[in-house]
Amino acid sequence: MRTVIWLVLLFAAAVVAALTLGSNDGLASFYWNGWRLDVSLNLFLLTLVAGCFALVTLIQTVNSLVSLPRRAREWRLSQRERSAQLALREALAEYFGARYGRAQKAVQRALNIQSQTPDLAQDQAFMALSHLLAAQSAHRLQDKRRRDEQLQMALQFAQSSSQAKAQEEGAKLLAAEWALDDRDAHRASQILAELTPGVARRTQALRLKLQAARLARQPLEALRTARLLAKHQGFSKSAAQGLLRSLAVEALESSRDIDQLRASWQQLDAADRRDVFVAARAAQCAAGLGAPDDGRGWLRPSWDNYGDLQGEERAALAEALVQCMPGVGPEWLQRLEGLMQRHARDPGLSYALGHALAERQLWGKARLMLEQAAEDRQLGIAARRRSWLKLADLAENDGDAERRARCFEAAALLA
């Protein structure tokens, strides 16, 4: 098919040439020092085209000969650059294959090729990336001295070139991660503080900041960072809720006195204070520090929404209120009795109401509620044991030693 097309084009060219060059009436005359040369116009045109073609070919030939050393140099440079790139790719493959010693050797070959070639040594981004890969391999081999040396060289190359900004950011993030691996939270925090605002808001940077805050035992800072991560969908919804809850509880439990506990409670986000488990733990901490009134105040919003809570939340709320019983007022009795009328079969309500009645010295009603709670297997063992012990105290107040002994025995048998 291709041959047929070329034949058609050749016939077409022949026809065009016959039509255009068939008339040979023109002459081209050349005069030189008394001589005259007459040639046909067609011959002159053909000679002119052939001469131009020969001149262009001659110029290209001379240019190729003159540029031959330059092109040879460029070819050698491209070969060395290709070798360096292949060595770096080999180093990456060895690194991902967990052969860190081989990765270091491959990186060193790439660096040697680059450094021995002046034109290639100007590629600061390549040099920074190579040193960074060597540092990461050394970290995997627990060679901290070589790791730090390679990291410093990577930072020097990255900071000397505007095109190696990504390598500089990656080096700082890796340095912070290595500091955390070394259990050095202070150094990790310092490195993360040097990041630009845009880099510091990235998910990986926030994850490292969260780890550094937890390692340094700064639960409030960790809580703020975790909330940012949750906002950027750095965790699943359930994982974020559990992490935020545990960090809030850790912040509360780190308080040494009631004033510090109050300050920690106020620094919590509104969503954390609405969490039933967080409020329950805060109330328990307040009771342990001798401020049950604060604990009951923090529990009140959750008790007002008691009907919307699930079983575990109700149990945690009841346990926290029981620990905050000293000094409970009559308003809590009214609240608990009102809830008891709407949720008559709730074991947590019986448990909390029984202890509230006992605190208000309403012994008869308290005994009835506490016996109901102590026998209810839906309650946790700790709550049932606490109910038996409170019944033992009531029996002691009544002077009934036999009933007191039975209550202690029942508490001891719970396992």
Side-chain angles (χ1 to χ4, degrees):
M1 186 65 184
R2 183 179 300 178
T3 304
V4 173
I5 294 175
W6 277 109
L7 288 174
V8 171
L9 291 176
L10 181 60
F11 287 134
V15 171
V16 171
L19 292 176
T20 56
L21 301 178
S23 178
N24 195 17
D25 297 335
L27 288 175
S29 298
F30 299 92
Y31 297 90
W32 176 260
N33 196 20
W35 293 87
R36 187 181 75 178
L37 176 63
D38 293 328
V39 295
S40 66
L41 183 60
N42 291 345
L43 178 61
F44 170 72
L45 293 176
L46 291 174
T47 304
L48 181 62
V49 171
C52 291
F53 179 77
L55 181 61
V56 170
T57 302
L58 179 63
I59 293 174
Q60 289 181 348
T61 303
V62 173
N63 184 55
S64 297
L65 291 174
V66 172
S67 63
L68 184 60
R70 177 182 57 81
R71 289 187 292 113
R73 178 174 172 275
E74 291 178 351
W75 180 83
R76 289 193 299 269
L77 183 63
S78 65
Q79 288 296 106
R80 294 185 68 84
E81 183 178 10
R82 183 171 179 271
S83 299
Q85 296 287 346
L86 288 175
L88 184 61
R89 288 168 55 185
E90 180 185 352
L92 285 170
E94 299 289 0
Y95 174 79
F96 289 127
R99 293 189 288 263
Y100 306 117
R102 295 184 182 182
Q104 284 187 324
K105 293 179 181 178
V107 169
Q108 193 59 48
R109 286 202 305 273
L111 289 172
N112 290 338
I113 294 172
Q114 290 287 115
S115 60
Q116 293 172 6
T117 309
D119 292 335
L120 295 182
Q122 303 302 319
D123 190 353
Q124 307 292 339
F126 183 93
M127 299 293 287
L129 183 60
S130 299
H131 283 294
L132 200 56
L133 182 57
Q136 180 71 349
S137 300
H139 175 71
R140 295 294 185 183
L141 294 172
Q142 296 296 312
D143 189 352
K144 297 181 181 180
R145 183 188 61 80
R146 180 176 176 81
R147 178 197 69 186
D148 295 338
E149 291 176 355
Q150 295 293 328
L151 177 64
Q152 290 302 320
M153 296 181 69
L155 285 173
Q156 290 176 5
F157 281 112
Q159 292 171 353
S160 62
S161 174
S162 59
Q163 298 179 352
K165 194 68 176 178
Q167 284 83 345
E168 180 183 0
E169 296 169 356
K172 290 182 178 180
L173 288 174
L174 280 176
E177 183 178 347
W178 298 338
L180 290 174
D181 291 342
D182 296 338
R183 311 298 292 176
D184 190 348
H186 179 68
R187 174 169 172 75
S189 300
Q190 284 183 333
I191 296 173
L192 292 172
E194 296 174 358
L195 297 176
T196 60
V199 181
R201 288 194 296 268
R202 295 176 185 172
T203 301
Q204 176 63 9
L206 290 175
R207 289 181 186 275
L208 295 174
K209 187 177 180 181
L210 173 60
Q211 294 178 29
R214 298 193 72 179
L215 184 61
R217 299 189 180 278
Q218 298 174 347
L220 289 175
E221 180 65 25
L223 182 60
R224 286 190 288 268
T225 306
R227 191 166 296 283
L228 282 175
L229 270 173
K231 182 179 179 181
H232 289 85
Q233 297 182 350
F235 305 109
S236 63
K237 186 176 180 180
S238 58
Q241 182 181 10
L243 178 61
L244 293 173
R245 180 178 295 160
S246 64
L247 289 174
V249 169
E250 183 180 351
L252 295 170
E253 291 177 344
S254 63
S255 302
R256 296 293 182 267
D257 53 46
I258 187 60
D259 293 331
Q260 188 177 2
L261 179 62
R262 289 168 182 161
S264 298
W265 175 259
Q266 292 300 323
Q267 291 179 27
L268 293 181
D269 194 80
D272 296 323
R273 293 197 295 269
R274 288 194 299 268
D275 192 309
V276 174
F277 295 101
V278 175
R281 189 58 190 147
Q284 292 172 350
C285 292
L289 294 173
D293 291 340
D294 292 88
R296 290 194 297 272
W298 297 337
L299 290 175
R300 187 176 296 113
S302 299
W303 277 101
D304 292 339
N305 298 321
Y306 190 83
D308 299 331
L309 303 181
Q310 303 298 322
E312 292 184 358
E313 294 175 327
R314 292 182 178 185
L317 203 59
E319 182 63 33
L321 181 60
V322 167
Q323 296 186 29
C324 295
M325 280 299 171
V328 69
E331 71 279 1
W332 276 98
L333 282 179
Q334 297 175 4
R335 181 179 290 108
L336 292 173
E337 288 175 347
L339 289 172
M340 196 68 188
Q341 292 176 1
R342 295 193 295 272
H343 309 280
R345 297 183 178 275
D346 193 317
L349 280 176
S350 302
Y351 172 59
L353 181 57
H355 282 80
L357 291 169
E359 181 67 24
R360 299 297 297 174
Q361 298 183 358
L362 299 174
W363 314 119
K365 293 182 178 180
R367 179 180 176 183
L368 180 62
M369 289 289 106
L370 289 172
E371 287 179 347
Q372 180 180 346
E375 298 290 348
D376 196 330
R377 295 184 178 275
Q378 295 182 16
L379 277 177
I381 293 177
R384 294 175 61 194
R385 183 180 293 113
R386 190 186 296 271
S387 299
W388 281 118
L389 293 176
K390 180 58 72 173
L391 285 170
D393 292 340
L394 296 181
E396 184 178 6
N397 290 332
D398 295 340
D400 191 343
E402 184 179 353
R403 181 158 55 87
R404 178 173 176 269
R406 288 198 305 269
C407 292
F408 276 127
E409 183 182 1
L413 290 175
L414 290 176

